[in-house]
Amino acid sequence: MSLTELARKKSPWVIHVGTGGCNGCDIELLACLAPRYDISRFGVMSTGNPKHADIMLVVGPVSLKYKEIIKNLYDQMPDPKVVIAVGTCASTGGIYQGCYGHCGSVDKVIPVDVYVPGCNVRPEAIIDGLVLALDILNEKERKLLSEKKGAA
Amino acid sequence: MRTVVQFGPQHPVWIEPLRLKLTLDGEVVKDAELEAGYVHRGLEKKFEWDYNKAAYLSERVCAICTQHHSTCYCLAVEGTMGLEVPRRAAIIRTIMLELERLHSHLLAIGLTLEAIGFENLFMQSFKDRELVLDVFERTTGNRVLHGINIVGGVTRNIGPEMAKEISSFCDVMEKRCHDLEKMVVNSYTIRQRMQGVGVMSQKMAEDLCVVGPVARGSNVPYDVRAVAPYLLYKEIKVTPVVEKGGDCWARTMVRVRELFQSIDIIRQCLPLLDGAPDELFAKSRSMPDGENFARVEAPRGELFYFVRGKKSKELDRVKIRTSTYANGIGIVPLIKGAQLADVGFITITFDPCIECFDR
Ligand code: SF4
């Protein structure tokens, strides 16, 4: 394991994007940061700046007005990056399927790596999803490196 | 020199998207423009659905006051059918409503304190909030969305054992809330930071028709539980909690004092469960017909549902006027003239809930 991989595994930075769910998963994400579940003890750090983030946590179906913004945020994140769809409505559209104001699940707009279903999700499930995302993140990093070597 | 700063829609202060366009002169905000609609999903249209399933849909308008949304919706639909909910169901609904106010106010207080840099107190109030969520989980099986309300009653009972558990929860919670209150009230720093910031005068509050803790913080004693009682509030008398200051401190203090009020109401409801017959659900013989509306006092203020049925399973129209929508208009005049550093803080004391705002 390289040093960057180790560092990333020990301290991933996440950005939290709410795009129009019902807040149920939003406040469970907040509960993850609060003492009972406390993901910061694993080194997870919540940041507001996409340029610092490794992992994007998206909550809710993407509303039409937010489509451009979330694409922007995604493009601003440095490679390698992972997107986690938190909640049923981020994964499939959930109960909002058929509403006119949004474009369904997150993967219609940006590529999603991990889906965490549940309406509302439990904090344990979010932590599970994060752990899964770390492996994917490192895999992506290795792939990037080998591509670079191949090009050189 | 004038500068224009875009505050949001993706901003670390807010967990939900809202955009403020601020025109600054140095550090002072000269002009503000509020833009919402980033999370508009078109829910009201979706309500033209099976009226019984729509109770679950109304929970998904906003998860912080789910119980209030679904109760209000159910009250409105029950009105169109002339349905009276059984007494036990009314008691259970009231208990759940007050529990929800507890968790919502703790969340709001925590976020307010975090906005001025008190990370520790934020953690403290979130720790207390977990206790409420535990009770929710034990009674309904879910932490945030409960799915307990349907048109005509409730789906889950609160038995004698659970009632005992809730009453011991009340004792623990009261103690924790006293601790929290002491820490907030006795802190010189918090007082200095909050008092005199974002002052809304009584006249302004009355003119703008703001509701909930925002209005009560400005000395307007308006509480739906007192002026138009529903469910069990017809028996349990509620006196609105009022503060005079109108600043961020007053709004926060209203929330802190309402915690004790809610605990008191739960305590009054629990003994009533003993005598009530074990009937949770009244079946209706007719379909929703005609127009009706209902109001409840959500944690953020008055919540209003209008329902029009057409004698079939589908509803003709549902209109929601949420409390944040009424309060949103008050944000802009308070921000004008404030310091840039106070902008996030003032909006947080309004306890904004953008999912309600946009629906
Ligand atoms: S998955 Fe359910 S609880 Fe989570 S944001 Fe969507 S509707 Fe709300």
Side-chain angles (χ1 to χ4, degrees):
Chain A
M1 198 184 271
S2 72
L3 189 61
T4 11
E5 270 182 42
L6 187 71
R8 194 163 281 137
K9 200 143 201 177
K10 290 291 175 199
S11 176
W13 285 34
V14 301
I15 181 172
H16 168 197
V17 184
T19 58
C22 74
N23 252 343
C25 299
D26 271 309
I27 50 177
E28 289 296 57
L29 261 177
L30 275 186
C32 278
L33 293 170
R36 175 157 320 165
Y37 296 97
D38 199 8
I39 46 174
S40 40
R41 74 198 143 127
F42 304 129
V44 178
M45 168 132 160
S46 167
T47 167
N49 191 343
K51 287 167 192 150
H52 297 164
D54 305 307
I55 299 176
M56 186 195 255
L57 291 163
V58 191
V59 178
V62 182
S63 60
L64 293 178
K65 198 166 174 182
Y66 214 73
K67 211 167 151 186
E68 288 300 308
I69 298 164
I70 196 171
K71 259 191 212 148
N72 247 331
L73 283 172
Y74 181 78
D75 289 342
Q76 284 180 36
M77 280 168 65
D79 274 331
K81 52 195 166 190
V82 167
V83 178
I84 308 183
V86 178
T88 305
C89 62
S91 310
T92 66
I95 198 156
Y96 303 120
Q97 273 168 7
C99 291
Y100 61 82
H102 66 83
C103 46
S105 52
V106 180
D107 52 13
K108 299 231 170 72
V109 187
I110 50 173
V112 175
D113 301 276
V114 181
Y115 296 90
V116 185
C119 181
N120 57 312
V121 291
R122 298 185 59 86
E124 290 95 333
I126 300 178
I127 296 173
D128 267 0
L130 270 173
V131 172
L132 196 61
L134 290 180
D135 285 333
I136 298 177
L137 198 64
N138 278 335
E139 226 165 76
K140 282 193 175 176
E141 162 104 30
R142 257 173 251 142
K143 210 166 144 206
L144 273 181
L145 281 179
S146 66
E147 265 170 25
K148 243 188 216 165
K149 262 186 205 153
Chain B
M1 197 186 81
R2 294 209 160 203
T3 354
V4 178
V5 173
Q6 305 284 355
F7 210 79
Q10 180 69 30
H11 195 278
V13 179
W14 295 320
I15 58 169
E16 301 153 294
L18 174 72
R19 180 168 149 259
L20 282 171
K21 189 172 159 192
L22 306 174
T23 313
L24 299 177
D25 187 1
E27 278 286 299
V28 182
V29 181
K30 285 285 172 219
D31 198 9
E33 219 175 87
L34 181 97
E35 188 183 347
Y38 285 99
V39 286
H40 178 68
R41 294 149 276 172
L43 257 182
E44 280 179 14
K45 183 81 183 154
K46 178 100 196 216
F47 269 100
E48 296 159 17
W49 199 25
D50 186 344
Y51 72 91
N52 231 337
K53 286 183 193 155
Y56 297 103
L57 186 59
S58 70
E59 289 197 333
R60 265 91 178 163
V61 176
C62 160
I64 303 178
C65 34
T66 42
Q67 191 67 20
H68 288 89
H69 273 281
S70 61
T71 305
C72 192
Y73 168 79
C74 289
L75 285 177
V77 176
E78 280 152 13
T80 61
M81 301 193 288
L83 202 63
E84 182 83 22
V85 289
R87 185 169 165 77
R88 199 176 180 89
I91 300 172
I92 291 173
R93 273 185 188 177
T94 315
I95 292 176
M96 298 304 283
L97 288 179
E98 290 308 320
L99 280 173
E100 189 132 273
R101 193 181 316 280
L102 273 178
H103 111 91
S104 175
H105 277 356
L106 281 171
L107 186 104
I109 294 166
L111 287 177
T112 311
L113 292 170
E114 198 210 11
I116 51 173
F118 283 80
E119 190 101 354
N120 192 1
L121 280 176
F122 162 74
M123 293 284 182
Q124 202 70 16
S125 57
F126 263 65
K127 209 165 118 196
D128 298 345
R129 184 176 157 264
E130 287 289 333
L131 289 180
V132 191
L133 295 188
D134 277 349
V135 174
F136 276 142
E137 193 170 8
R138 300 267 294 144
T139 42
T140 68
N142 214 339
R143 277 162 58 89
V144 176
L145 301 170
H146 316 308
I148 184 173
N149 270 335
I150 39 170
V151 176
V154 291
T155 51
R156 282 182 190 80
N157 197 356
I158 293 183
E161 256 172 54
M162 197 58 223
K164 217 182 272 164
E165 219 166 280
I166 294 180
S167 99
S168 60
F169 154 81
C170 285
D171 298 339
V172 177
M173 198 67 209
E174 192 169 30
K175 200 180 154 290
R176 297 258 190 133
C177 289
H178 269 304
D179 289 348
L180 188 71
E181 188 196 14
K182 256 187 242 152
M183 276 187 271
V184 175
V185 174
N186 292 341
S187 165
Y188 175 77
T189 330
I190 297 180
R191 216 177 250 268
Q192 287 296 314
R193 183 72 181 82
M194 283 186 173
Q195 274 173 352
V197 175
V199 182
M200 177 179 271
S201 62
Q202 185 177 354
K203 175 154 189 319
M204 193 201 256
E206 278 164 1
D207 285 352
L208 297 179
C209 297
V210 291
V211 292
V214 180
R216 292 198 287 276
S218 302
N219 206 10
V220 182
Y222 183 72
D223 188 323
V224 183
R225 291 175 296 172
V227 296
Y230 49 95
L231 293 177
L232 231 62
Y233 297 112
K234 288 173 192 146
E235 294 170 34
I236 298 169
K237 288 283 168 286
V238 180
T239 6
V241 176
V242 175
E243 288 273 338
K244 292 214 170 61
D247 49 6
C248 293
W249 171 258
R251 290 193 276 280
T252 310
M253 278 331 279
V254 169
R255 295 207 176 93
V256 172
R257 283 170 56 201
E258 278 187 357
L259 291 175
F260 300 107
Q261 191 187 33
S262 291
I263 294 176
D264 189 44
I265 294 173
I266 297 172
R267 281 209 179 115
Q268 290 182 44
C269 284
L270 284 174
L272 300 178
L273 276 174
D274 276 342
D278 249 348
E279 206 182 322
L280 295 178
F281 179 64
K283 203 154 171 48
S284 85
R285 289 199 181 74
S286 58
M287 289 290 174
D289 184 21
E291 301 178 351
N292 193 28
F293 72 85
R295 299 189 282 166
V296 300
E297 177 76 19
R300 290 168 181 73
E302 181 191 50
L303 174 65
F304 174 97
Y305 265 73
F306 165 83
V307 170
R308 189 167 68 216
K310 50 177 180 185
K311 267 201 174 164
S312 78
K313 244 180 161 184
E314 284 87 41
L315 294 168
D316 198 25
R317 174 89 170 98
V318 173
K319 157 92 184 120
I320 314 169
R321 184 185 182 265
T322 53
S323 31
T324 326
Y325 197 73
N327 285 338
I329 189 174
I331 293 177
V332 174
L334 290 203
I335 287 176
K336 271 186 205 168
Q339 300 277 327
L340 177 61
D342 288 339
V343 169
F345 175 46
I346 291 172
T347 35
I348 290 283
T349 57
F350 270 71
D351 200 1
C353 172
I354 313 302
E355 321 291 339
C356 279
F357 200 99
D358 294 339
R359 296 177 298 277

